Amino acid sequence: MSADNTITVKFFARLREELDTASLTVEAESDLTAGKLLQSLAARGGSWTQLAGAHPVMIAVNQVMTKPDTVLQPGDEVAFFPPVTGG
Amino acid sequence: MIRVQQEDFDPAEEYRALRDSGSGTGAIATFTGLVRDSGDLKGVTGLFLEHYPGMTEQVIEGLVREASGRWDVREARVIHRVGSLALGEQIVFVGVCSAHRGDAFAACEFIMDALKTSAPFWKKEITGDSEHWVEQKAADLDRSQSWE
């Protein structure tokens, strides 16, 4: 798997802790959207099932907030995280 | 000027920098947020703050740009701390200087309200025997949306 054909996936805060994962990589596929990637991760079972909709998950692609129908490109950085609570 | 840092900050120093930022300034509005003892939990002794490096700074830069488009903003300074913070410590600073008070107040409040619902920071409350990731509040979303 070449680095050029992968997508980096990052998790933050409660998701990072409960999934015990700060980041992982997946292979890019044609027509893969952020929403489809989220569903495929939820299918891993265990604590990953919470990604299927039990809690709101915000999505950023290349550090910009976006919607689930965003199509992912090789080299993209996707982040999934709970609603933000700074300030 | 936007900074995300673990270290504390000195509001007096930030105020001086705003005051020295140029001619035309007639008003400075500042806001400082502190760690409070009750949030989602009672008896909070501290917070842990996590952020998304890179994206956080970009989002805040965008908010300052938006504020500058809507109001007269001569200079804005935003500081947000991350890591472990104890009760009473400073979390966030927003300072805006403008020609007039109305623009300074509005831009400062807008940046703060929008930061709370769009900048990727997450707070975890710590008490003597438990910890809890803070939930986003409907009231914060309402305040942020009231600027749209």
Side-chain angles (χ1 to χ4, degrees):
Chain A
M1 189 161 74
S2 95
D4 296 333
N5 198 38
T6 60
I7 291 166
T8 303
V9 189
K10 294 186 167 188
F11 304 94
F12 290 95
R14 185 178 49 70
L15 282 180
R16 176 183 54 73
E17 283 190 349
E18 291 181 6
L19 304 175
D20 198 20
T21 306
S23 84
L24 53 80
T25 57
V26 296
E27 198 152 358
E29 294 167 26
S30 58
D31 301 327
L32 179 65
T33 63
K36 280 190 210 164
L37 173 59
L38 197 59
Q39 293 308 315
S40 75
L41 291 168
R44 290 178 166 203
S47 56
W48 296 87
T49 55
Q50 66 178 296
L51 299 177
H55 300 285
V57 176
M58 297 175 95
I59 303 168
V61 174
N62 299 326
Q63 307 198 347
V64 176
M65 292 291 295
T66 191
K67 295 198 161 81
D69 59 4
T70 302
V71 176
L72 304 176
Q73 308 295 334
D76 278 353
E77 176 179 296
V78 185
F80 296 120
F81 45 79
V84 303
T85 57
Chain B
M1 193 286 311
I2 290 154
R3 300 206 306 266
V4 178
Q5 61 188 41
Q6 294 198 4
E7 314 83 69
D8 198 8
F9 53 84
D10 179 359
E13 231 168 71
E14 302 308 320
Y15 175 83
R16 263 195 302 280
L18 287 166
R19 202 176 158 187
D20 293 345
S21 64
S23 62
T25 293
I28 298 174
T30 68
F31 171 84
T32 308
L34 311 177
V35 179
R36 195 178 52 221
D37 63 353
S38 71
D40 287 5
L41 302 178
K42 301 276 177 215
V44 172
T45 58
L47 293 179
F48 174 75
L49 262 147
E50 179 169 331
H51 78 301
Y52 185 171
M55 180 175 170
T56 310
E57 292 84 348
Q58 283 181 52
V59 168
I60 300 172
E61 274 164 25
L63 296 178
V64 170
R65 257 198 315 277
E66 192 180 340
S68 303
R70 293 177 68 169
W71 298 282
D72 172 77
V73 174
R74 305 295 165 113
E75 166 87 12
R77 298 178 80 81
V78 181
I79 305 171
H80 203 298
R81 294 178 66 197
V82 292
S84 295
L85 301 180
L87 191 62
E89 279 198 74
Q90 303 183 126
I91 305 171
V92 58
F93 175 90
V94 177
V96 174
C97 56
S98 174
H100 303 288
R101 72 182 183 287
D103 288 55
F105 276 135
C108 183
E109 190 172 20
F110 164 78
I111 291 169
M112 195 57 225
D113 285 351
L115 180 155
K116 281 192 87 90
T117 56
S118 66
F121 291 103
W122 301 271
K123 274 193 197 105
K124 184 198 266 182
E125 292 178 350
I126 317 280
T127 69
D129 55 2
S130 65
E131 47 181 53
H132 164 80
W133 286 103
V134 172
E135 301 286 338
Q136 194 175 57
K137 303 295 179 294
D140 287 335
L141 285 173
D142 288 348
R143 283 189 71 102
S144 188
Q145 280 161 5
S146 73
W147 293 99
E148 284 170 11

Coordinates of all heavy atoms in Angstrom, one line a residue, chain A residues 1-9 24-29 62 73-77:
Chain A
M1 N 0.9 -1.2 0.0 CA 0.0 0.0 0.0 C 0.9 1.2 0.0 O 1.6 1.5 1.0 CB -0.9 0.0 1.3 CG -2.0 1.0 1.3 SD -3.3 0.6 2.4 CE -2.5 0.9 4.0
S2 N 0.9 2.0 -1.1 CA 1.7 3.2 -1.1 C 1.1 4.3 -0.3 O -0.1 4.4 -0.2 CB 1.9 3.6 -2.6 OG 1.0 4.6 -2.9
A3 N 2.0 5.1 0.2 CA 1.5 6.3 1.1 C 0.6 7.2 0.3 O -0.2 7.9 0.8 CB 2.7 7.0 1.6
D4 N 0.9 7.2 -1.1 CA 0.1 8.1 -1.9 C -1.4 7.8 -2.1 O -2.2 8.6 -2.4 CB 0.7 8.2 -3.3 CG 2.1 8.7 -3.3 OD1 2.4 9.5 -2.4 OD2 2.9 8.3 -4.2
N5 N -1.7 6.5 -1.8 CA -3.0 6.0 -2.0 C -3.8 5.9 -0.7 O -4.8 5.1 -0.7 CB -3.0 4.7 -2.8 CG -4.4 4.4 -3.4 OD1 -5.0 5.4 -3.9 ND2 -4.8 3.2 -3.4
T6 N -3.3 6.5 0.3 CA -4.0 6.3 1.6 C -4.7 7.6 2.1 O -4.4 8.7 1.6 CB -3.0 5.9 2.7 OG1 -2.0 6.9 2.9 CG2 -2.4 4.6 2.4
I7 N -5.6 7.4 3.0 CA -6.3 8.6 3.6 C -6.0 8.4 5.1 O -6.1 7.4 5.7 CB -7.8 8.5 3.4 CG1 -8.1 8.7 1.9 CG2 -8.6 9.4 4.3 CD1 -9.5 8.3 1.5
T8 N -5.6 9.6 5.7 CA -5.3 9.6 7.2 C -6.6 9.9 7.9 O -7.3 10.9 7.5 CB -4.2 10.6 7.5 OG1 -3.1 10.3 6.7 CG2 -3.9 10.6 9.0
V9 N -6.9 9.2 8.9 CA -8.1 9.4 9.7 C -7.7 9.7 11.1 O -6.9 9.0 11.8 CB -9.1 8.2 9.7 CG1 -10.4 8.5 10.4 CG2 -9.3 7.6 8.3
L24 N -5.4 6.6 12.2 CA -5.2 5.4 11.4 C -5.2 5.8 10.0 O -5.5 6.9 9.6 CB -6.3 4.3 11.8 CG -7.7 4.7 11.6 CD1 -8.2 4.7 10.2 CD2 -8.6 3.8 12.4
T25 N -4.8 4.8 9.1 CA -4.9 5.1 7.7 C -5.7 4.0 7.0 O -5.8 2.9 7.4 CB -3.5 5.1 7.0 OG1 -2.9 3.8 7.3 CG2 -2.6 6.2 7.5
V26 N -6.4 4.5 6.0 CA -7.2 3.5 5.2 C -6.8 3.8 3.7 O -6.3 4.8 3.4 CB -8.8 3.8 5.3 CG1 -9.2 3.5 6.8 CG2 -9.2 5.2 4.9
E27 N -7.1 2.7 2.9 CA -6.8 2.8 1.5 C -7.9 3.7 0.8 O -9.0 3.5 1.1 CB -6.6 1.5 0.9 CG -5.9 1.5 -0.4 CD -5.2 0.2 -0.7 OE1 -5.3 -0.7 0.1 OE2 -4.6 0.1 -1.8
A28 N -7.5 4.6 -0.1 CA -8.4 5.4 -0.8 C -9.2 4.5 -1.8 O -8.6 3.6 -2.4 CB -7.7 6.5 -1.5
E29 N -10.4 4.7 -2.0 CA -11.2 4.0 -3.0 C -12.0 5.1 -3.8 O -12.3 6.1 -3.2 CB -12.3 3.1 -2.3 CG -11.7 2.0 -1.5 CD -12.8 1.3 -0.6 OE1 -14.0 1.4 -1.0 OE2 -12.4 0.7 0.4
N62 N -9.3 17.7 5.5 CA -8.1 18.6 5.3 C -8.3 19.9 6.2 O -8.1 21.0 5.8 CB -7.9 19.0 3.8 CG -7.6 17.7 3.0 OD1 -6.9 16.8 3.6 ND2 -8.1 17.7 1.8
Q73 N -10.3 12.1 -1.3 CA -9.2 11.9 -2.3 C -8.0 11.3 -1.7 O -7.8 11.5 -0.5 CB -8.8 13.2 -3.0 CG -9.9 14.1 -3.5 CD -10.6 13.4 -4.7 OE1 -10.0 12.6 -5.4 NE2 -11.9 13.7 -4.9
P74 N -7.2 10.5 -2.4 CA -5.9 10.0 -1.8 C -5.1 11.2 -1.2 O -5.0 12.2 -1.8 CB -5.2 9.4 -3.0 CG -6.3 9.1 -4.0 CD -7.3 10.1 -3.8
G75 N -4.6 10.9 -0.1 CA -3.8 12.0 0.6 C -4.6 12.9 1.5 O -4.0 13.7 2.3
D76 N -5.9 12.7 1.5 CA -6.7 13.6 2.4 C -6.5 13.2 3.8 O -6.2 12.1 4.2 CB -8.2 13.4 2.1 CG -8.7 14.2 0.9 OD1 -7.9 15.1 0.4 OD2 -9.8 14.1 0.4
E77 N -6.7 14.2 4.7 CA -6.7 14.0 6.1 C -8.2 14.2 6.6 O -8.7 15.3 6.4 CB -5.8 15.0 6.8 CG -5.9 14.9 8.4 CD -4.9 15.9 9.0 OE1 -3.7 15.8 8.8 OE2 -5.4 16.8 9.7

